[in-house]
Amino acid sequence: MLRLSEEVATAVDEGQPVVALESTLISHGLPYPQNLEVARALEAEVRAAGAVPATIGVVGGVPTVGMAAADLERFATRSAAVRKLSRRDLAVCIAQGADGATTVAATMALAAAAGIAVFATGGIGGVHRDAAHTRDVSADLTELARTPVLVVCAGAKAILDLPATLEYLETLGVPVVGYGTAEFPAFYSQRSGLPLPVRADSAEEVASLWAAQRLHSAIAAPGGMLLCVPPPAEVALPAATVEAAISRALARAGAVGVRGPAVTPFLLAAVAEETGGESIIVNSALLRQNARVAAQVASALAHRPW
Ligand code: PSU
Ligand code: MN
């Protein structure tokens, strides 16, 4: 029910550093050909930092940890034929033998099942801005509340209600740590103005926080942790530019009447158009940075006695 590549299985068995990577951003988060370039670049970043990459997805109905190059290419080039899988969609995709790209929620579940504790993504899902009416809150948040995986991200996607997302993470008991910052990053921009309770300034410091959370998780209350890395300064966009683009994107989504799992992919594509492609440059750069940081944390963890 869970296929690990030989490389990943060996690394997990031997306690080598491994970093999980998700596949929804490949099939439904970025356009071709940037999606394929990014998918390959993330694996390369993880390797360059001394860890083993494990891209996760459901391949022909088989939950796969450590996707083959040919599968990555199919997920990037034939994305219309690849489902977007959150946790609720996993069993159905398996039963129907389909291809499915896993979101943060589904990737966490499969990573934990494979014995992988560190996962790098771009921005997590969260509370949507119209959640008061639609009740649209990403399953990424509830997964963080129950699955012991450290998720390295640039905060929650800026298309969301960031203050409400932070509040909900607090409600769910998820520790949120800033990496070199005491503020929740805003995905395309470095700052949101929202303070974080915890800050860490090195991979070793993160590893010690995560080791404590993992222990606490094992004996008392199971759950993950969020490490928030601001996007690289060279490519980060001014908050005002991003807000203007998001307003136009949200208006378009409202006019078309997009609902459910289609909302996030629609908004990401619309923001890319509204920023003349700049959002894709930031998204790709922050993904690479997060993969690097995750690999450094996984390496620091591998060197700890517990
Ligand atoms: N981050 C990105 N691009 C993405 C996503 C995150 O930079 O495409 C995906 C993740 O897989 C995340 C999902 O789990 O969007 C959230 O979707 P939803 O809001 O429907 O839960
Ligand atoms: Mn949703």
Side-chain angles (χ1 to χ4, degrees), residues 5-132:
S5 70
E6 227 174 273
E7 186 191 22
V8 170
T10 305
V12 170
D13 277 351
E14 296 180 353
Q16 293 167 25
V18 181
V19 173
L21 300 165
E22 60 146 310
S23 44
T24 287
L25 69 92
I26 302 170
S27 296
H28 307 292
L30 290 167
Y32 179 81
Q34 287 95 334
N35 58 354
L36 186 55
E37 286 163 22
V38 166
R40 291 173 174 159
L42 297 186
E43 295 199 343
E45 292 282 358
V46 170
R47 285 189 199 284
V52 172
T55 304
I56 294 180
V58 176
V59 179
V62 182
T64 301
V65 179
M67 286 173 61
D71 294 326
L72 275 189
E73 192 169 329
R74 187 173 71 259
F75 273 46
T77 54
R78 309 247 188 94
S79 52
V82 178
R83 302 177 186 187
K84 176 183 167 188
L85 305 183
S86 191
R87 170 190 260 261
R88 66 151 191 198
D89 310 303
L90 280 172
V92 174
C93 187
I94 293 165
Q96 296 177 343
D99 279 341
T102 48
T103 63
V104 168
T107 304
M108 285 181 77
L110 296 179
I116 301 171
V118 181
F119 165 26
T121 185
I124 60 162
V127 179
H128 283 263
R129 296 187 185 199
D130 56 359

Side-chain angles (χ1 to χ4, degrees), residues 119-221:
F119 165 26
T121 185
I124 60 162
V127 179
H128 283 263
R129 296 187 185 199
D130 56 359
H133 303 290
T134 60
R135 305 278 172 105
D136 190 355
V137 177
S138 177
D140 292 356
L141 300 187
T142 36
E143 198 64 39
L144 276 159
R146 64 179 163 197
T147 302
V149 169
L150 171 68
V151 179
V152 182
C153 65
K157 279 172 296 233
I159 54 169
L160 301 165
D161 183 336
L162 297 186
T165 299
L166 261 189
E167 288 293 347
Y168 200 52
L169 284 164
E170 181 186 349
T171 302
L172 292 169
V174 178
V176 181
V177 180
Y179 195 62
T181 182
E183 233 177 82
F184 199 42
F187 191 58
Y188 299 122
S189 323
Q190 291 202 306
R191 306 185 58 176
S192 67
L194 300 164
L196 290 180
V198 197
R199 168 185 178 143
D201 290 301
S202 68
E204 288 70 28
E205 220 177 309
V206 176
S208 95
L209 293 172
W210 172 244
Q213 167 69 3
R214 188 163 60 180
L215 195 63
H216 174 66
S217 191
I219 58 179

Side-chain angles (χ1 to χ4, degrees), residues 279-298:
S279 69
I280 291 177
I281 295 172
V282 190
N283 202 342
S284 306
L286 67 83
L287 277 161
R288 294 174 68 144
Q289 175 174 257
N290 292 347
R292 205 155 51 233
V293 170
Q296 288 161 356
V297 173

